[in-house]
């Protein structure tokens, strides 16, 4: 079973920030938080990952709470092309990714 | 720099047949993982190969087998196909570092079993 809980769906207005929450209350000390997204019928696309510090790259920012029990993925200026299913995954160094149902993000004009 | 590639893109088979799917990892990666994604579901881990050996396996029957070659490419074989094997099969590659090992996915092979 997935070790994360995400809302099944969210809407966001184009140009606004999309904030996608994820709960992972049973995360272990050596486990990372990974975010992927999947646009219909394509392979999942890696977005970002972190251990305990906040992270930012050209795609998104990842905010992890101090107790590491939850995190938020932030897409700063959502576009229609960001419409996808977003998966939050907790994984150690075993390399095995356990996907849940993810959050379907709909970006609306 | 080529990413993860998979072949074929689509495949149609009939029940009882056997199928082989292929994956070439991203340049510099040495580990290949395979996932099955049924319609409307998240991907499910099948197994992972590193140093030409199966290192981890998910909850899949022995009909699912694989191989990794010295050049790190990999094959997924499924025997005695069932209708329920119809799915998108995803390959992901990574570099084994002992720390975080980010997996990068290919576009997948869509298998339809009739």
């Amino acid at each position: 079973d997935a070790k994360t809980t995400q809302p099944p769906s969210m809407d966001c207005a184009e140009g606004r920030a999309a904030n996608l929450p994820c709960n992972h209350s049973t995360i272990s000390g050596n486990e990372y938080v990974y975010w992927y997204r999947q646009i219909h019928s394509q392979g999942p696309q890696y977005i970002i990952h972190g251990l305990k510090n906040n992270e930012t790259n050209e795609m998104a920012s990842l905010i992890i709470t101090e107790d590491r029990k939850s995190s938020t993925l932030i897409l700063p200026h959502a576009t229609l092309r960001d419409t996808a299913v977003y998966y939050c995954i907790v994984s150690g160094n075993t390399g095995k990714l356990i996907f849940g149902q993810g959050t379907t993000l709909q970006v609306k004009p | 720099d080529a990413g993860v590639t998979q072949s074929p893109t689509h495949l149609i088979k009939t029940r009882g047949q056997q199928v082989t799917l292929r994956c070439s990892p991203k340049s510099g990666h040495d580990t290949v993982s395979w996932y099955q994604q049924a319609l409307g579901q998240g991907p499910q881990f099948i197994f992972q190969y590193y140093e030409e050996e199966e290192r981890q396996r998910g909850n899949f029957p022995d009909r699912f087998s694989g191989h990794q070659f010295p050049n790190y490419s990999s094959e997924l074989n499924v025997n005695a196909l069932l209708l329920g094997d119809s799915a998108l099969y995803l390959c992901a590659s990574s570099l084994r570092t002992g720390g975080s090992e980010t997996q990068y996915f290919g576009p997948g092979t869509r298998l339809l079993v009739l």
Side-chain angles (χ1 to χ4, degrees):
Chain A
D1 290 344
K3 298 180 66 174
T4 62
T5 304
Q6 300 177 252
S9 63
M10 293 183 63
D11 289 341
C12 177
E14 189 178 19
R16 304 296 295 270
N19 296 278
L20 290 88
C22 179
N23 288 321
H24 31 80
S25 59
T26 61
I27 191 170
S28 300
N30 66 343
E31 290 182 317
Y32 292 80
V33 179
Y34 289 86
W35 283 84
Y36 286 81
R37 72 181 182 184
Q38 188 172 27
I39 296 170
H40 182 63
S41 295
Q42 299 180 20
Q45 178 188 23
Y46 165 75
I47 301 173
I48 198 167
H49 76 283
L51 185 61
K52 52 185 176 182
N53 297 322
N54 298 337
E55 302 288 344
T56 295
N57 64 20
E58 64 280 1
M59 289 183 67
S61 294
L62 174 60
I63 308 298
I64 303 174
T65 58
E66 193 169 341
D67 63 8
R68 302 211 320 128
K69 292 184 177 181
S70 66
S71 61
T72 301
L73 178 74
I74 301 173
L75 307 179
H77 305 286
T79 70
L80 298 179
R81 287 177 300 207
D82 292 322
T83 292
V85 178
Y86 287 77
Y87 294 101
C88 169
I89 300 166
V90 164
S91 179
N93 58 4
T94 63
K96 174 180 176 180
L97 299 179
I98 301 176
F99 288 78
Q101 294 298 312
T103 295
T104 299
L105 175 68
Q106 183 72 47
V107 180
K108 299 185 174 182
Chain B
D1 178 22
V4 179
T5 60
Q6 293 186 243
S7 63
T9 56
H10 295 81
L11 202 52
I12 300 174
K13 292 286 188 179
T14 56
R15 281 180 299 174
Q17 286 189 312
Q18 177 264 344
V19 69
T20 298
L21 311 181
R22 296 176 176 80
C23 172
S24 291
K26 186 177 169 67
S27 178
H29 284 184
D30 58 8
T31 302
V32 173
S33 301
W34 287 92
Y35 294 80
Q36 179 196 66
Q37 185 172 25
L39 203 60
Q41 303 295 317
Q44 288 195 36
F45 176 77
I46 302 175
F47 43 53
Q48 182 183 82
Y49 277 83
Y50 170 67
E51 291 187 335
E52 302 180 48
E53 289 190 12
E54 183 182 295
R55 297 291 177 169
Q56 289 191 81
R57 190 178 184 90
N59 189 25
F60 279 81
D62 292 344
R63 299 187 297 108
F64 289 77
S65 63
H67 189 77
Q68 185 179 35
F69 298 94
N71 67 352
Y72 308 117
S73 67
S74 177
E75 289 182 349
L76 164 66
N77 300 292
V78 186
N79 294 322
L81 284 167
L82 303 174
L83 297 180
D85 294 331
S86 295
L88 179 67
Y89 287 85
L90 297 160
C91 168
S93 75
S94 57
L95 176 64
R96 186 161 289 250
T97 63
S100 65
E101 298 179 13
T102 301
Q103 294 187 28
Y104 294 86
F105 285 82
T109 294
R110 187 161 297 281
L111 172 65
L112 178 61
V113 182
L114 301 176

